Amino acid sequence: MAQRILIVGRGTAGTSLARSIRESGGEVVGFLDDAVVDDEVLGTLADASRVIAQHEVGMVYFAIPSVDAGVLRSFLDSVDSDHVEIAIVPRTYRTLAKEQVDLSDLTDVDVLDLVGRKPVKHDLLESAAFLRGQRVLVTGAAGSIGSTLVRQIATMDPDAIVCVDWWENGMFFLEQEFADDPRISYHVADVKSSARLKAVFAEMRPTVVFHAAAYKHVPMMQRDPVEAINNNIGGSVAVMRTAVEAGVRHVVYVSTDKAVNPVNVMGATKRIGEIAMTDLARHSSATSLTAVRFGNVIESNGSVMQTFRSQLARRAPLTVTDPEVTRFFMTLDEAAQLVIQSAFIGASGDIFVLDMGEPVRIMDLAASLSRLVDPPADIEIIGLRPGEKMYEELSYEPDRIAPTRNPKIFAVTDDVVTDPTAFMLGVADLLERAQRFEISRAEIVDALRVLGFAIR
């Protein structure tokens, strides 16, 4: 049975939305409006609860884009959102005097709607209790994930937030955003420098560390693997070892689905970071170390959505590597919430993954976005780039994932390294050569293959 839809607003946005829904086979029961009276208007905004119950409405679209924020909040407060879904236009539909919604109107939540997945909502009370009064250090603080972590942590009553990043411009803008918050300090520093890290840790005395700094772009790291080795392995080991030596209570290593069965240098370096974390956890009793693995973050810097936005703004074709390529997607907020929760769920040495639903075909995402512009955008197939996989995984063995007390977060129970001591000795040799820049790209690939990675 089709979901019965009620639209709030009988103006241009609402009537255009109703037409779009009906053309696609949806059922619109009518409208609510405080100013318009006609046969399809079933009442005013104050009549929402009565109309929803009387007409068995399952979905409400609020389609008054120019409404005062107070009116919108009052309406949302008056509707029982546990029994009816509510969406606010402009989202993925035509709005007001615009023929099509601007792409800038699309949030990462809207994009999840386009690919058919609802955001995972976490209870943040436990996270707030965990971080209250803590001194929290975030590496990669100026990046997409890092800055979102800073924003969320700032609401959880920490004693201090220590922002670490080498990206000067990003740190400048982050400081501008939180200029009036005395709890937050900013340190332009490279995680590859153990001496610099030790100085920051000694000065700021963090109790919780979130290590989000990393090079993440697969094709770029495939071309310059020595930087991937030095930053993603050397920097991660330096951060984690410094944290252990400083007596930090909790360390979270931010990983990726590309660390599973990696076929590219970036994925291999992130998997090595996970193994380094578990090895340190085995030898550390004072510091709890965990890792969290997730898929593509929709609006992160350099994400496919940013690429698509840029292409649509230029009226250029949307580029897709392969019609069947799939990826897991999540929002920035989901990613940051998962990172925070993984600090106190489970045991030291655990790797966590989020229930992210089914993977999404990039072609389907491109087609959905194409339909939002007039005329529709062309889609161009360009072929897989160096090091890219057709699909990503979140675990080596999907049946080896254990539940945690959070039903949306799982602990990975696989361990594919039979001799971690010998493995880490091999990593140390590779890292030493990379740090001296006395190793070629081909030699790095060979060394990663010797460590057990099927690098292409």
Side-chain angles (χ1 to χ4, degrees), residues 229-283:
I229 300 297
N230 286 334
N231 192 73
N232 291 1
I233 300 176
S236 296
V237 170
V239 169
M240 291 187 286
R241 282 182 178 167
T242 302
V244 170
E245 292 168 3
V248 171
R249 298 175 193 170
H250 300 271
V251 177
V252 177
Y253 170 76
V254 177
S255 189
T256 169
D257 55 2
K258 294 171 181 61
V260 182
N261 296 317
V263 298
N264 54 65
V265 172
M266 194 283 283
T269 61
K270 296 301 287 184
R271 176 56 182 154
I272 290 171
E274 291 181 350
I275 297 168
M277 180 279 297
T278 58
D279 188 58
L280 279 168
R282 275 191 286 266
H283 297 94

Short mmCIF file of all heavy atoms in Angstrom, two decimals, residues 229-283:
data_model
loop_
_atom_site.label_atom_id
_atom_site.label_comp_id
_atom_site.label_asym_id
_atom_site.label_seq_id
_atom_site.Cartn_x
_atom_site.Cartn_y
_atom_site.Cartn_z
N ILE A 229 52.81 5.89 3.18
CA ILE A 229 53.52 5.13 4.21
C ILE A 229 53.89 6.03 5.37
O ILE A 229 53.64 5.72 6.55
CB ILE A 229 54.79 4.47 3.62
CG1 ILE A 229 54.44 3.51 2.47
CG2 ILE A 229 55.57 3.75 4.72
CD1 ILE A 229 53.61 2.33 2.86
N ASN A 230 54.52 7.17 5.07
CA ASN A 230 55.01 8.05 6.13
C ASN A 230 53.89 8.65 6.96
O ASN A 230 53.99 8.75 8.19
CB ASN A 230 55.86 9.17 5.52
CG ASN A 230 57.22 8.68 5.07
OD1 ASN A 230 57.73 7.69 5.59
ND2 ASN A 230 57.81 9.35 4.09
N ASN A 231 52.80 9.06 6.31
CA ASN A 231 51.72 9.74 7.03
C ASN A 231 50.76 8.74 7.69
O ASN A 231 50.49 8.81 8.89
CB ASN A 231 50.95 10.65 6.08
CG ASN A 231 50.02 11.60 6.83
OD1 ASN A 231 50.48 12.54 7.46
ND2 ASN A 231 48.73 11.35 6.75
N ASN A 232 50.24 7.81 6.89
CA ASN A 232 49.20 6.92 7.40
C ASN A 232 49.73 5.84 8.33
O ASN A 232 49.01 5.37 9.22
CB ASN A 232 48.45 6.27 6.24
CG ASN A 232 47.62 7.26 5.46
OD1 ASN A 232 47.61 8.45 5.76
ND2 ASN A 232 46.93 6.78 4.43
N ILE A 233 51.01 5.42 8.13
CA ILE A 233 51.60 4.44 9.05
C ILE A 233 52.47 5.16 10.07
O ILE A 233 52.24 5.06 11.28
CB ILE A 233 52.42 3.38 8.29
CG1 ILE A 233 51.55 2.62 7.29
CG2 ILE A 233 53.06 2.41 9.28
CD1 ILE A 233 52.31 1.62 6.43
N GLY A 234 53.47 5.91 9.57
CA GLY A 234 54.37 6.59 10.49
C GLY A 234 53.66 7.55 11.42
O GLY A 234 53.91 7.56 12.64
N GLY A 235 52.77 8.37 10.86
CA GLY A 235 52.04 9.32 11.69
C GLY A 235 51.13 8.64 12.69
O GLY A 235 51.04 9.05 13.85
N SER A 236 50.45 7.57 12.27
CA SER A 236 49.54 6.86 13.17
C SER A 236 50.29 6.19 14.31
O SER A 236 49.88 6.24 15.47
CB SER A 236 48.73 5.82 12.38
OG SER A 236 47.91 6.46 11.42
N VAL A 237 51.41 5.53 13.97
CA VAL A 237 52.21 4.88 15.02
C VAL A 237 52.75 5.93 15.98
O VAL A 237 52.74 5.73 17.21
CB VAL A 237 53.35 4.06 14.38
CG1 VAL A 237 54.35 3.60 15.45
CG2 VAL A 237 52.80 2.86 13.62
N ALA A 238 53.19 7.08 15.45
CA ALA A 238 53.71 8.13 16.32
C ALA A 238 52.65 8.65 17.28
O ALA A 238 52.90 8.83 18.48
CB ALA A 238 54.26 9.28 15.47
N VAL A 239 51.43 8.87 16.76
CA VAL A 239 50.35 9.37 17.62
C VAL A 239 50.01 8.34 18.70
O VAL A 239 49.90 8.68 19.90
CB VAL A 239 49.09 9.69 16.78
CG1 VAL A 239 47.88 9.94 17.69
CG2 VAL A 239 49.33 10.91 15.90
N MET A 240 49.85 7.09 18.30
CA MET A 240 49.43 6.07 19.27
C MET A 240 50.51 5.80 20.31
O MET A 240 50.22 5.66 21.51
CB MET A 240 49.02 4.80 18.54
CG MET A 240 47.72 4.96 17.74
SD MET A 240 47.07 3.43 17.01
CE MET A 240 48.21 3.17 15.65
N ARG A 241 51.77 5.73 19.88
CA ARG A 241 52.85 5.49 20.84
C ARG A 241 53.01 6.66 21.79
O ARG A 241 53.23 6.47 23.00
CB ARG A 241 54.16 5.24 20.09
CG ARG A 241 54.27 3.84 19.51
CD ARG A 241 55.60 3.63 18.82
NE ARG A 241 55.73 2.28 18.29
CZ ARG A 241 56.67 1.89 17.45
NH1 ARG A 241 57.57 2.78 17.00
NH2 ARG A 241 56.72 0.64 17.02
N THR A 242 52.90 7.88 21.27
CA THR A 242 53.00 9.06 22.13
C THR A 242 51.88 9.07 23.15
O THR A 242 52.09 9.40 24.33
CB THR A 242 52.95 10.35 21.28
OG1 THR A 242 54.01 10.32 20.32
CG2 THR A 242 53.09 11.58 22.15
N ALA A 243 50.69 8.69 22.72
CA ALA A 243 49.54 8.65 23.64
C ALA A 243 49.76 7.61 24.74
O ALA A 243 49.47 7.88 25.93
CB ALA A 243 48.27 8.33 22.86
N VAL A 244 50.26 6.45 24.38
CA VAL A 244 50.52 5.41 25.38
C VAL A 244 51.59 5.88 26.37
O VAL A 244 51.44 5.74 27.59
CB VAL A 244 50.95 4.09 24.69
CG1 VAL A 244 51.46 3.09 25.72
CG2 VAL A 244 49.79 3.50 23.91
N GLU A 245 52.67 6.46 25.84
CA GLU A 245 53.75 6.94 26.70
C GLU A 245 53.28 8.06 27.63
O GLU A 245 53.77 8.19 28.76
CB GLU A 245 54.92 7.43 25.85
CG GLU A 245 55.64 6.31 25.10
CD GLU A 245 56.60 6.84 24.03
OE1 GLU A 245 56.74 8.09 23.92
OE2 GLU A 245 57.20 6.02 23.32
N ALA A 246 52.31 8.86 27.16
CA ALA A 246 51.81 9.97 27.97
C ALA A 246 50.72 9.54 28.95
O ALA A 246 50.21 10.37 29.72
CB ALA A 246 51.28 11.08 27.06
N GLY A 247 50.33 8.28 28.91
CA GLY A 247 49.31 7.79 29.83
C GLY A 247 47.90 8.18 29.47
O GLY A 247 47.02 8.24 30.35
N VAL A 248 47.64 8.43 28.19
CA VAL A 248 46.28 8.76 27.74
C VAL A 248 45.36 7.57 28.03
O VAL A 248 45.75 6.41 27.86
CB VAL A 248 46.29 9.09 26.23
CG1 VAL A 248 44.87 9.20 25.68
CG2 VAL A 248 47.06 10.37 25.98
N ARG A 249 44.15 7.85 28.45
CA ARG A 249 43.23 6.76 28.85
C ARG A 249 42.64 6.03 27.65
O ARG A 249 42.52 4.80 27.66
CB ARG A 249 42.10 7.32 29.71
CG ARG A 249 42.55 7.94 31.01
CD ARG A 249 41.37 8.58 31.74
NE ARG A 249 41.81 9.44 32.83
CZ ARG A 249 41.01 10.26 33.50
NH1 ARG A 249 39.72 10.33 33.18
NH2 ARG A 249 41.48 11.01 34.47
N HIS A 250 42.23 6.78 26.62
CA HIS A 250 41.54 6.18 25.47
C HIS A 250 42.10 6.77 24.18
O HIS A 250 42.23 7.99 24.06
CB HIS A 250 40.03 6.43 25.53
CG HIS A 250 39.36 5.88 26.74
ND1 HIS A 250 38.85 4.61 26.81
CD2 HIS A 250 39.12 6.45 27.95
CE1 HIS A 250 38.33 4.41 28.00
NE2 HIS A 250 38.47 5.51 28.71
N VAL A 251 42.38 5.89 23.22
CA VAL A 251 42.80 6.32 21.89
C VAL A 251 41.91 5.64 20.86
O VAL A 251 41.70 4.42 20.92
CB VAL A 251 44.27 5.94 21.60
CG1 VAL A 251 44.65 6.34 20.17
CG2 VAL A 251 45.21 6.60 22.60
N VAL A 252 41.37 6.42 19.91
CA VAL A 252 40.57 5.86 18.83
C VAL A 252 41.27 6.15 17.50
O VAL A 252 41.55 7.31 17.18
CB VAL A 252 39.14 6.45 18.80
CG1 VAL A 252 38.36 5.88 17.61
CG2 VAL A 252 38.41 6.14 20.09
N TYR A 253 41.55 5.09 16.76
CA TYR A 253 42.17 5.20 15.44
C TYR A 253 41.05 5.15 14.39
O TYR A 253 40.29 4.18 14.34
CB TYR A 253 43.14 4.04 15.24
CG TYR A 253 43.68 3.88 13.84
CD1 TYR A 253 44.65 4.73 13.34
CD2 TYR A 253 43.22 2.86 13.00
CE1 TYR A 253 45.15 4.58 12.06
CE2 TYR A 253 43.70 2.70 11.72
CZ TYR A 253 44.67 3.56 11.26
OH TYR A 253 45.16 3.41 10.00
N VAL A 254 40.95 6.19 13.58
CA VAL A 254 39.90 6.27 12.57
C VAL A 254 40.37 5.54 11.31
O VAL A 254 41.36 5.94 10.68
CB VAL A 254 39.55 7.73 12.24
CG1 VAL A 254 38.51 7.79 11.13
CG2 VAL A 254 39.05 8.44 13.50
N SER A 255 39.66 4.47 10.95
CA SER A 255 40.05 3.65 9.80
C SER A 255 38.98 3.75 8.71
O SER A 255 38.14 4.66 8.72
CB SER A 255 40.27 2.20 10.23
OG SER A 255 40.84 1.45 9.18
N THR A 256 38.99 2.82 7.78
CA THR A 256 38.15 2.91 6.59
C THR A 256 37.80 1.52 6.09
O THR A 256 38.51 0.54 6.36
CB THR A 256 38.90 3.68 5.47
OG1 THR A 256 38.20 3.55 4.24
CG2 THR A 256 40.30 3.12 5.27
N ASP A 257 36.70 1.42 5.32
CA ASP A 257 36.36 0.14 4.71
C ASP A 257 37.42 -0.30 3.70
O ASP A 257 37.53 -1.49 3.36
CB ASP A 257 34.97 0.19 4.05
CG ASP A 257 34.82 1.31 3.02
OD1 ASP A 257 35.80 2.04 2.77
OD2 ASP A 257 33.71 1.45 2.47
N LYS A 258 38.22 0.63 3.21
CA LYS A 258 39.27 0.29 2.25
C LYS A 258 40.41 -0.48 2.89
O LYS A 258 41.32 -0.97 2.19
CB LYS A 258 39.77 1.55 1.56
CG LYS A 258 38.70 2.20 0.68
CD LYS A 258 39.12 3.55 0.17
CE LYS A 258 38.00 4.17 -0.68
NZ LYS A 258 36.75 4.39 0.08
N ALA A 259 40.39 -0.62 4.22
CA ALA A 259 41.39 -1.43 4.91
C ALA A 259 41.08 -2.92 4.82
O ALA A 259 41.90 -3.74 5.21
CB ALA A 259 41.48 -1.00 6.38
N VAL A 260 39.91 -3.26 4.33
CA VAL A 260 39.50 -4.67 4.23
C VAL A 260 39.92 -5.22 2.87
O VAL A 260 39.56 -4.67 1.83
CB VAL A 260 37.98 -4.81 4.41
CG1 VAL A 260 37.58 -6.28 4.35
CG2 VAL A 260 37.54 -4.19 5.72
N ASN A 261 40.71 -6.30 2.90
CA ASN A 261 41.21 -6.90 1.66
C ASN A 261 41.74 -5.83 0.71
O ASN A 261 41.32 -5.75 -0.45
CB ASN A 261 40.11 -7.72 0.97
CG ASN A 261 39.66 -8.91 1.79
OD1 ASN A 261 40.49 -9.61 2.37
ND2 ASN A 261 38.36 -9.13 1.85
N PRO A 262 42.66 -4.99 1.15
CA PRO A 262 43.07 -3.83 0.34
C PRO A 262 43.81 -4.25 -0.93
O PRO A 262 44.64 -5.16 -0.91
CB PRO A 262 43.98 -3.05 1.28
CG PRO A 262 44.51 -4.06 2.24
CD PRO A 262 43.38 -5.04 2.43
N VAL A 263 43.50 -3.55 -2.01
CA VAL A 263 44.21 -3.77 -3.28
C VAL A 263 44.95 -2.51 -3.68
O VAL A 263 45.53 -2.45 -4.76
CB VAL A 263 43.24 -4.20 -4.40
CG1 VAL A 263 42.56 -5.51 -4.06
CG2 VAL A 263 42.21 -3.10 -4.67
N ASN A 264 44.92 -1.49 -2.82
CA ASN A 264 45.61 -0.23 -3.10
C ASN A 264 46.48 0.16 -1.91
O ASN A 264 46.31 -0.36 -0.80
CB ASN A 264 44.62 0.87 -3.45
CG ASN A 264 43.56 1.05 -2.39
OD1 ASN A 264 43.85 1.43 -1.26
ND2 ASN A 264 42.30 0.76 -2.73
N VAL A 265 47.41 1.06 -2.15
CA VAL A 265 48.36 1.46 -1.12
C VAL A 265 47.65 2.13 0.06
O VAL A 265 47.94 1.84 1.22
CB VAL A 265 49.42 2.41 -1.72
CG1 VAL A 265 50.30 3.00 -0.62
CG2 VAL A 265 50.27 1.67 -2.74
N MET A 266 46.71 3.03 -0.23
CA MET A 266 46.02 3.72 0.86
C MET A 266 45.34 2.73 1.79
O MET A 266 45.47 2.80 3.02
CB MET A 266 45.00 4.72 0.30
CG MET A 266 44.48 5.70 1.34
SD MET A 266 43.24 5.03 2.48
CE MET A 266 41.80 5.04 1.43
N GLY A 267 44.59 1.77 1.22
CA GLY A 267 43.90 0.78 2.04
C GLY A 267 44.86 -0.06 2.86
O GLY A 267 44.61 -0.37 4.03
N ALA A 268 45.99 -0.43 2.26
CA ALA A 268 46.99 -1.22 2.98
C ALA A 268 47.57 -0.45 4.15
O ALA A 268 47.77 -1.00 5.25
CB ALA A 268 48.09 -1.66 2.03
N THR A 269 47.84 0.85 3.95
CA THR A 269 48.39 1.65 5.05
C THR A 269 47.39 1.78 6.19
O THR A 269 47.78 1.76 7.36
CB THR A 269 48.81 3.05 4.57
OG1 THR A 269 47.66 3.77 4.07
CG2 THR A 269 49.87 2.97 3.51
N LYS A 270 46.11 1.87 5.87
CA LYS A 270 45.10 1.97 6.94
C LYS A 270 44.94 0.64 7.66
O LYS A 270 44.74 0.60 8.87
CB LYS A 270 43.77 2.44 6.36
CG LYS A 270 43.79 3.85 5.78
CD LYS A 270 44.19 4.90 6.82
CE LYS A 270 43.06 5.15 7.81
NZ LYS A 270 43.40 6.24 8.77
N ARG A 271 45.06 -0.47 6.93
CA ARG A 271 45.00 -1.78 7.59
C ARG A 271 46.20 -1.97 8.50
O ARG A 271 46.09 -2.50 9.61
CB ARG A 271 44.92 -2.89 6.54
CG ARG A 271 44.95 -4.31 7.13
CD ARG A 271 43.85 -4.55 8.14
NE ARG A 271 43.93 -5.89 8.72
CZ ARG A 271 43.46 -6.24 9.91
NH1 ARG A 271 42.86 -5.32 10.67
NH2 ARG A 271 43.58 -7.46 10.36
N ILE A 272 47.38 -1.53 8.05
CA ILE A 272 48.57 -1.62 8.89
C ILE A 272 48.37 -0.79 10.15
O ILE A 272 48.78 -1.18 11.26
CB ILE A 272 49.81 -1.18 8.11
CG1 ILE A 272 50.14 -2.23 7.04
CG2 ILE A 272 51.00 -0.99 9.05
CD1 ILE A 272 51.21 -1.80 6.06
N GLY A 273 47.72 0.37 10.03
CA GLY A 273 47.41 1.18 11.20
C GLY A 273 46.54 0.42 12.19
O GLY A 273 46.73 0.51 13.41
N GLU A 274 45.54 -0.32 11.67
CA GLU A 274 44.70 -1.13 12.55
C GLU A 274 45.52 -2.18 13.28
O GLU A 274 45.35 -2.42 14.49
CB GLU A 274 43.61 -1.83 11.72
CG GLU A 274 42.55 -0.92 11.15
CD GLU A 274 41.51 -1.69 10.35
OE1 GLU A 274 41.71 -2.90 10.09
OE2 GLU A 274 40.48 -1.09 9.99
N ILE A 275 46.41 -2.86 12.54
CA ILE A 275 47.22 -3.92 13.15
C ILE A 275 48.17 -3.32 14.18
O ILE A 275 48.39 -3.91 15.25
CB ILE A 275 47.98 -4.70 12.06
CG1 ILE A 275 46.98 -5.39 11.13
CG2 ILE A 275 48.93 -5.72 12.68
CD1 ILE A 275 47.60 -5.95 9.86
N ALA A 276 48.74 -2.15 13.87
CA ALA A 276 49.60 -1.47 14.85
C ALA A 276 48.81 -1.14 16.11
O ALA A 276 49.33 -1.26 17.23
CB ALA A 276 50.19 -0.21 14.23
N MET A 277 47.56 -0.72 15.94
CA MET A 277 46.72 -0.41 17.10
C MET A 277 46.52 -1.65 17.97
O MET A 277 46.68 -1.61 19.20
CB MET A 277 45.37 0.13 16.62
CG MET A 277 44.39 0.50 17.73
SD MET A 277 43.46 -0.92 18.42
CE MET A 277 42.52 -1.46 17.00
N THR A 278 46.17 -2.79 17.33
CA THR A 278 45.92 -4.01 18.12
C THR A 278 47.20 -4.49 18.79
O THR A 278 47.16 -5.02 19.91
CB THR A 278 45.33 -5.12 17.23
OG1 THR A 278 46.23 -5.39 16.15
CG2 THR A 278 43.98 -4.72 16.65
N ASP A 279 48.34 -4.31 18.12
CA ASP A 279 49.62 -4.72 18.72
C ASP A 279 49.94 -3.87 19.94
O ASP A 279 50.35 -4.39 20.99
CB ASP A 279 50.73 -4.60 17.67
CG ASP A 279 52.04 -5.18 18.15
OD1 ASP A 279 52.07 -6.38 18.51
OD2 ASP A 279 53.04 -4.44 18.18
N LEU A 280 49.74 -2.55 19.82
CA LEU A 280 49.96 -1.67 20.98
C LEU A 280 48.99 -2.00 22.11
O LEU A 280 49.36 -1.96 23.29
CB LEU A 280 49.81 -0.21 20.56
CG LEU A 280 51.01 0.44 19.88
CD1 LEU A 280 50.63 1.78 19.27
CD2 LEU A 280 52.16 0.64 20.88
N ALA A 281 47.74 -2.33 21.76
CA ALA A 281 46.74 -2.65 22.78
C ALA A 281 47.14 -3.88 23.58
O ALA A 281 46.89 -3.97 24.79
CB ALA A 281 45.38 -2.86 22.12
N ARG A 282 47.80 -4.84 22.90
CA ARG A 282 48.23 -6.06 23.60
C ARG A 282 49.30 -5.77 24.65
O ARG A 282 49.43 -6.51 25.61
CB ARG A 282 48.77 -7.08 22.59
CG ARG A 282 47.70 -7.95 21.95
CD ARG A 282 48.31 -9.09 21.17
NE ARG A 282 48.91 -8.64 19.91
CZ ARG A 282 48.27 -8.64 18.75
NH1 ARG A 282 47.02 -9.06 18.69
NH2 ARG A 282 48.87 -8.22 17.66
N HIS A 283 50.07 -4.70 24.43
CA HIS A 283 51.19 -4.42 25.32
C HIS A 283 50.93 -3.23 26.24
O HIS A 283 51.85 -2.81 26.96
CB HIS A 283 52.44 -4.16 24.49
CG HIS A 283 52.88 -5.33 23.66
ND1 HIS A 283 52.50 -5.50 22.34
CD2 HIS A 283 53.63 -6.41 23.98
CE1 HIS A 283 53.03 -6.63 21.87
NE2 HIS A 283 53.71 -7.20 22.84
#
